[in-house]
Amino acid sequence: MYLDVIDDFINKKEYLGRTDITQIIIPSKVLSIENWAFAQCTNLREIAIPITLDIMGKDVFLDCNRLEYIFFYDAKLEDEEKFFDNVKEKDRFLARMTSIAFLKFDEVELRDIKSVGTREWIGKWDKTCLEYINQPHGLKFSPFLAGGEEDYIDKENNYEYYCHMKRLEKVGVILTRLLSADTFALNKDIEDKYISFLKELMPDGETVQALVESGDMANAFYKLYDRYEIINGDNIDIVLTATPEECVELKALLLRKKSEYTKDDNVWDAFSL
């Protein structure tokens, strides 16, 4: 959706609660996006914003929980209304990291539009990410209380469920960063800390869930798990059991990996007395 705007700004709450919007391109003439402009656009998945934007207000994307990609594009771009037709993989990696910086991290410096994607920004992103994953999982838990114990029946009001979802969220953030490592250099010490966090939540925790529920990303996530030896002979059966039958491609990859471990076992069996 290419916004047909008359002025060079988007008003406060102008698109508040628009559940019909999934994709937005902000015209390059726009210099200011005011407070809560796209708040509660719960189906918004990606947005492209001109890098010449001067002002981004408070909580512009509040409660946009499905917003995966925030792109910043060159205002000199021709046919900007067709921006999404020419998005490259590198652009998607950065846009995903930008979305995480804007929606999940508290570091204000990461929201400096002009610095997004620079080496300094990437370094700051990783430092902030480490702080984020090391926060207590129950931080910011605030159940909705209507006046009785029955309020805790809903899982959203349950502390343990909240912590589980926060751990799952952190796993997703780490996987996003690891996928971009070949494009945006990742310090080895930081990489090791990311991997350590993922392994801590194996074999039957959120790291497994993130893989088996990854949908179109299953193949890419599996390659990461394999590369960093997050899946191994000790836990592969647990991962296989957790993988739904309809995830045919992932199931096949896991069975192939299991066969490699079985071959290794057979080799050692040959030396047994």
Side-chain angles (χ1 to χ4, degrees):
M1 176 179 177
Y2 184 74
L3 298 186
D4 185 14
V5 297
I6 298 175
D7 300 308
D8 62 358
F9 62 89
I10 295 176
N11 275 317
K12 184 194 315 183
K13 301 182 181 180
E14 185 163 349
Y15 295 91
L16 176 69
R18 287 280 300 273
T19 58
D20 59 312
I21 299 175
T22 60
Q23 184 187 81
I24 294 174
I25 302 172
I26 307 292
S28 57
K29 66 183 288 186
V30 172
L31 300 178
S32 174
I33 302 176
E34 299 187 359
N35 300 348
W36 309 292
F38 300 101
Q40 298 177 3
C41 290
T42 52
N43 289 316
L44 179 61
R45 185 170 180 267
E46 54 187 353
I47 186 168
I49 302 170
I51 202 168
T52 48
L53 188 77
D54 287 332
I55 299 173
M56 183 175 288
K58 176 183 178 182
D59 293 333
V60 169
F61 304 115
L62 181 67
D63 294 333
C64 293
N65 297 324
R66 294 183 181 176
L67 182 56
E68 294 186 64
Y69 303 99
I70 298 177
F71 297 89
F72 288 105
Y73 70 89
D74 188 340
K76 297 179 181 178
L77 181 70
E78 294 183 7
D79 296 327
E80 59 190 31
E81 67 276 9
K82 298 179 181 179
F83 172 83
F84 288 109
D85 294 341
N86 300 300
V87 173
K88 298 181 174 61
E89 185 177 54
K90 177 180 178 179
D91 299 327
R92 287 211 168 272
F93 285 146
L94 181 58
R96 183 70 184 117
M97 291 175 66
T98 304
S99 175
I100 290 169
F102 273 68
L103 301 182
K104 302 186 187 302
F105 295 166
D106 295 327
E107 179 53 64
V108 176
E109 290 183 18
L110 289 175
R111 295 170 198 154
D112 176 12
I113 295 172
K114 303 299 190 294
S115 69
V116 169
T118 64
R119 183 180 300 178
E120 292 76 15
W121 188 89
I122 296 295
K124 187 69 175 179
W125 194 101
D126 280 321
K127 180 181 177 182
T128 304
C129 187
L130 286 179
E131 295 171 354
Y132 162 77
I133 65 175
N134 287 322
Q135 290 175 348
H137 304 312
L139 189 68
K140 299 183 180 180
F141 174 68
S142 180
F144 173 76
L145 301 177
E149 291 181 2
E150 70 277 4
D151 301 328
Y152 289 90
I153 295 175
D154 293 337
K155 58 186 179 180
E156 287 78 6
N157 276 346
N158 181 278
Y159 178 76
E160 293 302 323
Y161 179 77
Y162 177 89
C163 292
H164 161 68
M165 293 305 294
K166 184 58 67 172
R167 289 191 295 270
L168 188 61
E169 179 181 285
K170 291 177 180 180
V171 168
V173 168
I174 290 173
L175 291 174
T176 293
R177 181 63 180 102
L178 292 176
L179 282 174
S180 72
D182 291 337
T183 304
F184 301 104
L186 177 58
N187 177 278
K188 184 63 167 63
D189 290 339
I190 295 177
E191 180 182 60
D192 289 343
K193 290 175 181 176
Y194 287 158
I195 300 306
S196 177
F197 183 89
L198 295 179
K199 288 182 175 180
E200 285 176 8
L201 299 181
M202 289 289 280
D204 54 353
E206 290 77 14
T207 304
V208 174
Q209 184 177 346
L211 174 63
V212 302
E213 296 181 357
S214 56
D216 293 342
M217 296 300 296
N219 194 14
F221 283 2
Y222 171 80
K223 289 179 180 179
L224 289 177
Y225 282 48
D226 189 32
R227 179 197 304 179
Y228 294 111
E229 299 181 344
I230 296 170
I231 293 177
N232 55 50
D234 294 330
N235 61 40
I236 194 165
D237 282 331
I238 293 174
V239 181
L240 266 167
T241 300
T243 304
E245 291 300 325
E246 58 267 23
C247 298
V248 178
E249 184 176 2
L250 177 58
K251 204 89 170 178
L253 291 169
L254 291 168
L255 287 170
R256 188 180 305 157
K257 175 56 66 174
K258 182 178 179 178
S259 71
E260 294 177 11
Y261 294 126
T262 304
K263 288 177 184 177
D264 290 342
D265 291 342
N266 291 340
V267 169
W268 288 110
D269 288 342
F271 288 92
S272 62
L273 297 176

